Amino acid sequence: MSQLLSSPLMAASYNPFASPRFLSSSSSVLVPGGGGGLAVKRHGLASKPVRKLNLSVKSRQTDYFEKQRFGDSSSSSQNGEGAPARFYVGHSIYKGKAALTVEPRAPEFVSLDSGAFKLSKDGFLLLQFAPAAGVRQYDWSKKQVFSLSVSEIGTLVSLGPRESCEFFHDPNKGKSDEGKVRKVLKVEPLPDGSGHFFNLSVQNKLLNVDESIYIPITRAEFTVLVSAFNFVLPYLIGWHAFANSIKPEETNRTNNASPNYGGDYEWNR
């Protein structure tokens, strides 16, 4: 199977009746009228009344933000109308023998009795490797995946141009099938120093799979990945949610109510 890449086309509406050439023209002159005044006499082509069409374009995205702005609570309809928009993003690198796609996965939170939320699981980056099936075609049905943890992301972003690293995963660690699936991701510098090799080896005894997929990443491509990783890292550990929840008027009240929350403060000792 091959993946076809396409972009949605934007459709535009055209109203021919809004064009000036469909409107008739006329002229008028002033002629003497009764009572010594002037009367307006029109002549020219006769025109039929033009019907006005009130057209408007409404953006669902704009409507969503308006509802959020005014605190509309009716956005939780079953059919999804007005529900918060979801965005799916990823970055792909295509080479002759393989393709690599990187996608972020959000962290998870649990609700507390107080109504607050606590981080329960860090987010991660999902790496998907697909072998080539032809010229600019890739077999995503044979893809292999590898999830980068927060600490592994930190290792990658601090990697020097001549440095290498290796990550080992056992998805069934701690289970009855431990050791039957082995994944090793190696990131090594290219011989000429122009980038890195990403090599994913997968041994799956359950499915009788022993495969290795590698893809060269240029220095420019690696720089893009590192920049994206640095940007998304605080979101993967949930710090954006904390930052967005800070309200200046509540900060002093919260600290005074629970002075030891989160541990002893150095400046209070």
Side-chain angles (χ1 to χ4, degrees):
M1 297 177 63
S2 301
Q3 183 192 47
L4 299 179
L5 304 179
S6 61
S7 300
L9 299 177
M10 297 182 63
S13 299
Y14 173 67
N15 179 15
F17 296 102
S19 175
R21 67 187 183 88
F22 283 89
L23 303 178
S24 60
S25 60
S26 61
S27 59
S28 60
V29 295
L30 298 178
V31 297
L38 297 177
V40 179
K41 182 179 181 181
R42 300 182 181 273
H43 62 85
L45 298 177
S47 61
K48 294 182 179 180
V50 179
R51 180 183 177 185
K52 288 187 177 181
L53 299 178
N54 294 324
L55 303 178
S56 63
V57 178
K58 187 176 183 181
S59 169
R60 289 188 177 183
Q61 186 175 5
T62 303
D63 180 62
Y64 164 71
F65 284 114
E66 286 296 320
K67 289 182 178 180
Q68 293 298 309
R69 177 184 175 186
F70 293 102
D72 192 326
S73 60
S74 62
S75 60
S76 58
S77 57
Q78 294 181 356
N79 59 5
E81 287 292 335
R86 297 183 65 86
F87 299 90
Y88 300 95
V89 298
H91 180 67
S92 299
I93 299 174
Y94 301 98
K95 294 300 173 68
K97 293 186 177 181
L100 169 63
T101 293
V102 183
E103 298 177 358
R105 292 293 186 266
E108 297 179 6
F109 296 84
V110 294
S111 58
L112 304 178
D113 294 338
S114 62
F117 293 89
K118 182 179 180 180
L119 181 73
S120 61
K121 184 178 180 182
D122 286 339
F124 59 92
L125 290 176
L126 181 64
L127 275 59
Q128 302 181 69
F129 296 79
V135 179
R136 296 185 180 180
Q137 295 181 342
Y138 303 91
D139 191 349
W140 292 97
S141 66
K142 296 181 179 179
K143 70 180 180 181
Q144 298 293 343
V145 300
F146 194 92
S147 299
L148 284 176
S149 66
V150 169
S151 60
E152 291 169 340
I153 296 171
T155 300
L156 272 181
V157 299
S158 61
L159 202 64
R162 293 290 183 178
E163 295 179 332
S164 61
C165 60
E166 180 176 317
F167 307 117
F168 168 75
H169 284 185
D170 183 350
N172 297 321
K173 187 176 182 179
K175 302 178 182 178
S176 59
D177 291 333
E178 181 175 351
K180 295 184 179 180
V181 179
R182 174 186 174 90
K183 296 184 178 183
V184 178
L185 175 63
K186 294 182 179 180
V187 180
E188 301 174 314
L190 294 173
D192 59 358
S194 61
H196 286 82
F197 266 122
F198 277 56
N199 187 1
L200 176 62
S201 300
V202 178
Q203 293 179 342
N204 191 330
K205 298 179 181 179
L206 300 175
L207 301 177
N208 194 25
V209 172
D210 189 353
E211 188 174 5
S212 180
I213 304 177
Y214 70 91
I215 178 173
I217 306 296
T218 66
R219 185 181 304 171
E221 293 167 338
F222 190 74
T223 300
V224 172
L225 291 178
V226 169
S227 179
F229 292 175
N230 279 321
F231 173 82
V232 79
L233 197 53
Y235 293 84
L236 298 181
I237 59 178
W239 283 37
H240 67 293
F242 169 76
N244 293 335
S245 69
I246 295 177
K247 296 181 180 179
E249 67 273 12
E250 296 181 359
T251 303
N252 291 333
R253 183 170 68 252
T254 302
N255 291 339
N256 293 333
S258 181
N260 293 325
Y261 177 76
D264 294 334
Y265 295 123
E266 179 182 359
W267 51 87
N268 288 338
R269 295 180 181 177

